[in-house]
Amino acid sequence: MDQVQSEFQSMLRDHGIEVNAEQLTQFETYFKELVSWNEKMNLTGITEREQVYVKHFYDSISLAFHLNMRGIQSLADIGSGAGFPGIPLKICFPQLKLTIVDSLNKRIHFLQNIVDQLSLDGVELIHGRAEDIARKPQYRDQFDLVTARAVARMAVLNEFCLPFVKVGGVFAAMKGSDPREEVEEAARSMKVLNGKLIGNHHFKLPMEDSDRHIILVKKTAATPKAYPRKAGTPLKSPIV
């Protein structure tokens, strides 16, 4: 274990999360594959090793600082891109049954490679639009936790993500800049889609001190039949 991994392990330990040697090896393989594939396709603008560990891995796992991940069995990560936050959370909490939805097939191929390289069990990768997948009975109102990291504004994310959440489950939106205005703008969509704001956590990433916010929304009742609307509509015409 070198300094970058030692600091990463220590930062997680400060929040009560232990990662062992095998998990650290998985993170290092993930980093190497991310950088290698990034030369062929646009996955991330962050490729420096320490930055990847902090801005992608640690940032993804920060969700576990505000939710008890040990009590969560099923996680859907919507618009996951290069696998954040879903894959880092799966590495740390192997009991999670992870479903990733992404609209770009090239990214799904990358993620399948990561799942294979890291020997991850219980991961389903779905190529498709969130609005279409959330209409399927096996995914609708099914997940304990649904995540989206830097995908869209809250009014749009609510329609992308809340239909996947089971009643009593949680949708977690992971944001950079202060989302108060977004949250206010999203009040109507939250109500329409049977969500209730239960938390808005702010923290700073270690070492580089940039702002992060995690917005937690609880699902209070099943998704109304009219939602989500057809693919493309939530982005063009958000519920506001």
Side-chain angles (χ1 to χ4, degrees):
M1 189 194 315
D2 65 5
Q3 186 177 349
V4 169
Q5 286 199 317
S6 180
E7 288 175 354
F8 176 65
Q9 188 179 48
S10 178
M11 289 187 300
L12 294 181
R13 188 174 287 144
D14 287 344
H15 293 277
I17 297 169
E18 294 288 343
V19 286
N20 59 31
E22 182 185 349
Q23 289 165 311
L24 287 171
T25 298
Q26 288 178 309
F27 277 114
E28 186 62 15
T29 301
Y30 192 0
F31 161 69
K32 288 176 179 175
E33 290 295 312
L34 177 69
V35 172
S36 174
W37 280 62
N38 200 58
E39 293 174 1
K40 299 175 280 185
M41 56 186 286
N42 181 27
L43 290 166
T44 177
I46 299 165
T47 55
E48 196 272 318
R49 185 164 172 260
E50 186 176 49
Q51 295 281 302
V52 170
Y53 269 82
V54 174
K55 289 186 174 181
H56 282 326
F57 298 164
Y58 178 92
D59 187 28
S60 293
I61 299 160
S62 67
L63 185 54
F65 308 162
H66 306 286
L67 282 173
N68 176 17
M69 297 300 296
R70 301 286 178 199
I72 292 167
Q73 294 300 315
S74 56
L75 165 63
D77 189 9
I78 308 303
S80 185
F84 308 121
I87 299 288
L89 287 168
K90 172 69 176 176
I91 294 171
C92 287
F93 304 98
Q95 90 282 355
L96 289 172
K97 183 178 182 296
L98 172 63
T99 299
I100 288 178
V101 177
D102 199 275
S103 61
L104 196 62
N105 205 30
K106 286 194 296 185
R107 287 196 290 254
I108 294 293
H109 285 308
F110 164 73
L111 292 170
Q112 186 62 62
N113 174 67
I114 293 298
V115 168
D116 295 342
Q117 294 281 343
L118 273 50
S119 300
L120 298 176
D121 295 322
V123 179
E124 182 179 12
L125 305 173
I126 303 172
H127 172 227
R129 300 285 290 265
E131 304 98 312
D132 297 328
I133 307 303
R135 283 276 172 192
K136 299 186 176 189
Q138 66 266 42
Y139 304 113
R140 189 177 180 85
D141 299 328
Q142 292 298 316
F143 294 89
D144 297 331
L145 175 63
V146 176
T147 58
R149 179 177 178 261
V151 172
R153 290 179 70 82
M154 279 300 297
V156 177
L157 284 181
N158 283 334
E159 190 166 358
F160 281 170
C161 298
L162 277 168
F164 288 92
V165 185
K166 67 165 57 170
V167 176
V170 173
F171 161 45
M174 306 178 75
K175 297 280 185 178
S177 55
D178 190 340
R180 277 179 294 187
E181 183 186 316
E182 278 189 50
V183 172
E184 289 172 13
E185 175 190 82
R188 181 163 175 261
S189 67
M190 214 173 286
K191 186 176 181 181
V192 166
L193 291 155
N194 295 324
K196 179 184 178 184
L197 184 68
I198 58 170
N200 187 348
H201 302 282
H202 169 242
F203 64 99
K204 289 182 180 289
L205 281 184
M207 293 189 277
E208 61 133 47
D209 220 31
S210 58
D211 287 308
R212 293 292 185 270
H213 295 81
I214 295 176
I215 304 158
L216 300 177
V217 180
K218 187 172 183 178
K219 180 82 163 277
T220 59
T223 305
K225 286 183 181 178
Y227 298 97
R229 293 167 293 167
K230 70 179 181 178
T233 303
L235 264 175
K236 288 179 194 165
S237 180
I239 305 166
V240 292

